[in-house]
Amino acid sequence: MMASDSASRRVLAIAATDVRMRMARGSSVVLLVALCIFAYVIVPDLSTGRTLMQVNGHRALYNSATIALATSSLCAVLLGMAGFYLISNTVRRDVDSRTGFVIASTSVKNAEYLAGKMLGSIAFLSLIVFVYVMNVMAMQLLRGEAPVEPLTYAAMFLAVVGPVIIVVSGLALMFECVRPLSGRIGDIFYFFLWTFLLSIPASTADASKQGMGANFDVFGMAFIINAAKGQATNDFHAHPEISIGSSKFDATRAPWRFEGVAWTSPVIASRITSALMVLPALLIAWLAFPRFDPAQIRGGGGAARTSVRGRIAAPLRRLLNTLHPASWAGRGLVRMSLGEIGLTVMLRPVVFVAAVAAGIAALVVPAASLRTAVLPVVFVALIATLADIPTRDRVARMDLIRSGIAGVRDLSVFSKLLAAMGIALAFLVVPLIRVGVAAPASALSLLIGAAFIAAASVGFGTLARTPKLFAGVALLFLYVVMSTPGAAEFDFAGWNGAATNGVRLAYFLGTIALSSLAVLGDWRTARAER
């Protein structure tokens, strides 16, 4: 009994410490403020002619059931994407702080450590959702048409978002423990996994009201569609067309009142089984966890030389050494920026290969495929390349050494901004030329889009001190861009051909704002170092 009690205390201590460390970060405060703004935007004021949910052309009445269903669905989608990147550095943080090596020398078992980390991630994401729900309920008080029902919100968010929190926490832990998935490759792979898990249940929801797909519906897409479909079919005597998200409505049509979800046993069981999809991920995490063995954790020099990636990179490094990238660095902003580019190439020779491949692909593919296929893939590769630039000095513990060199500390953030934009230009120089010949305006959008992504990588990375925030936000943004080809406001790089001069100006100003964010984050770090 005492051994069990001691084990539970260790698990809870690890979880509580993890939550406290996350809440102490400035990025968590920014996130909570962003949730307040998001809740204000996501529930549109009816006087603007826009509504949150429509069924067969009728807007849904703003009661608790409607707002809870719509906002929980949007929360599940966004949390499933952004939540992974928010929590997928929990083990790595213990490696960087050397706390993990202390834990490895204690009696804490692997299962206890992983359970504590899992509970910490669940608690942190639950806190985020709680703040979001509080703000949504406040918006119902301001814009709703019926009394607020807290229990309706609690049941809906527990059913829709609960499995998301559990599964995402388990996947993030598994990705950290499995070495090939613990870096940028894992970040990109999760983006496609998220897309797959999001699309399959939604595409099968119409085929069966409660089929096998509902048992694997992590993000609740089939659950949400079926939740309103039964009542809507009875009310309109037709196949329902349900739209969730801000959209214009016909004020001459009477509003439709959603009565809420019918909580039957199969519905509840499907949400429980969806949450249980985390079990294989936890098993893999437990089997793959290296317990902070320096020979196995990412970053070990011997492992890097003997790994498959190391053997492939070695001849590339020898080839690139003929360019003498080490000589590019020096004092002055330009030399420092070239040094950052040279360091990127030598640390990851595959970046050079990817840039060359992007140029060749841009030359040989048809013009239509260049915009719709090549450019999105290039931007995904660019995100993976740029994410580490603002944080790698701190991870390698070189930041304090560089800060001690005269003239280097003050120009560091500017050199990283220029280096990120230079690498983006290297990836996109051939597409820029080819697009510019046929559509100069689109080429200008592409140039601005490249600078926007480069500034975002340094801005978010410097402020959050982790590459995960930028990777998550940027990949989610790309998903929105590719999902809305006709929306001019999201055509940041011009590949949809919908951008206007106003949109270009907005993203140019956004680039300046993100660059200023990088300077602000660097100033905050410099102040903390004094």
Side-chain angles (χ1 to χ4, degrees), residues 100-178:
F101 301 110
V102 177
I103 295 173
S105 65
T106 66
S107 60
V108 175
K109 295 180 175 61
N110 289 354
E112 294 170 356
Y113 175 80
L114 295 175
K117 289 296 182 180
M118 176 74 176
L119 287 177
S121 296
I122 290 174
F124 179 68
L125 293 181
S126 298
L127 178 61
I128 290 175
V129 174
F130 176 76
V131 173
Y132 172 74
V133 173
M134 291 297 103
N135 282 281
V136 169
M137 291 172 65
M139 291 312 302
Q140 184 181 345
L141 290 174
L142 291 175
R143 297 174 176 175
E145 301 171 282
V148 175
E149 301 172 12
L151 291 180
T152 299
Y153 279 96
M156 188 70 70
F157 273 84
L158 182 63
V160 176
V161 187
V164 177
I165 292 174
I166 294 171
V167 173
V168 169
S169 297
L171 286 174
L173 193 60
M174 183 195 76
F175 273 56
E176 280 207 273
C177 293
V178 178

Side-chain angles (χ1 to χ4, degrees), residues 297-387:
I297 59 176
R298 189 166 65 93
R305 287 190 294 269
T306 58
S307 66
V308 174
R309 187 177 66 178
R311 288 195 292 269
I312 294 173
L316 285 172
R317 284 196 180 95
R318 286 194 293 270
L319 176 64
L320 293 171
N321 267 331
T322 60
L323 302 175
H324 302 292
S327 66
W328 299 357
R331 293 190 178 183
L333 182 58
V334 175
R335 293 292 299 274
M336 287 177 61
S337 303
L338 289 175
E340 292 284 355
I341 295 173
L343 181 62
T344 301
V345 171
M346 293 309 295
L347 287 175
R348 294 191 174 183
V350 70
V351 170
F352 178 79
V353 177
V356 172
I360 295 173
L363 282 174
V364 300
V365 300
S369 298
L370 173 63
R371 289 172 177 262
T372 59
V374 174
L375 286 179
V377 172
V378 169
F379 270 92
V380 170
L382 194 57
I383 290 169
T385 301
L386 299 180

Side-chain angles (χ1 to χ4, degrees), residues 447-465:
L447 183 63
I448 294 173
F452 179 77
I453 290 295
S457 69
V458 182
F460 287 131
T462 305
L463 182 68
R465 305 184 71 184

Side-chain angles (χ1 to χ4, degrees), residues 1-8 10 112:
M1 182 71 179
M2 290 183 64
S4 175
D5 182 57
S6 179
S8 62
R10 289 195 291 265
E112 294 170 356

Side-chain angles (χ1 to χ4, degrees), residues 206-242:
D206 291 333
S208 174
K209 191 167 185 178
Q210 199 64 44
M212 277 298 294
N215 296 319
F216 306 99
D217 185 20
V218 175
F219 297 109
M221 292 297 99
F223 168 81
I224 291 162
I225 293 172
N226 291 325
K229 190 169 67 174
Q231 181 190 333
T233 301
N234 293 331
D235 291 347
F236 293 103
H237 305 289
H239 180 75
E241 296 180 1
I242 302 171

Side-chain angles (χ1 to χ4, degrees), residues 13 51 103 154 197 223 258 283 372 394 433 438:
T51 187
I103 295 173
L197 291 175
F223 168 81
F258 177 49
L283 177 61
T372 59
R394 184 184 61 83
I433 294 173

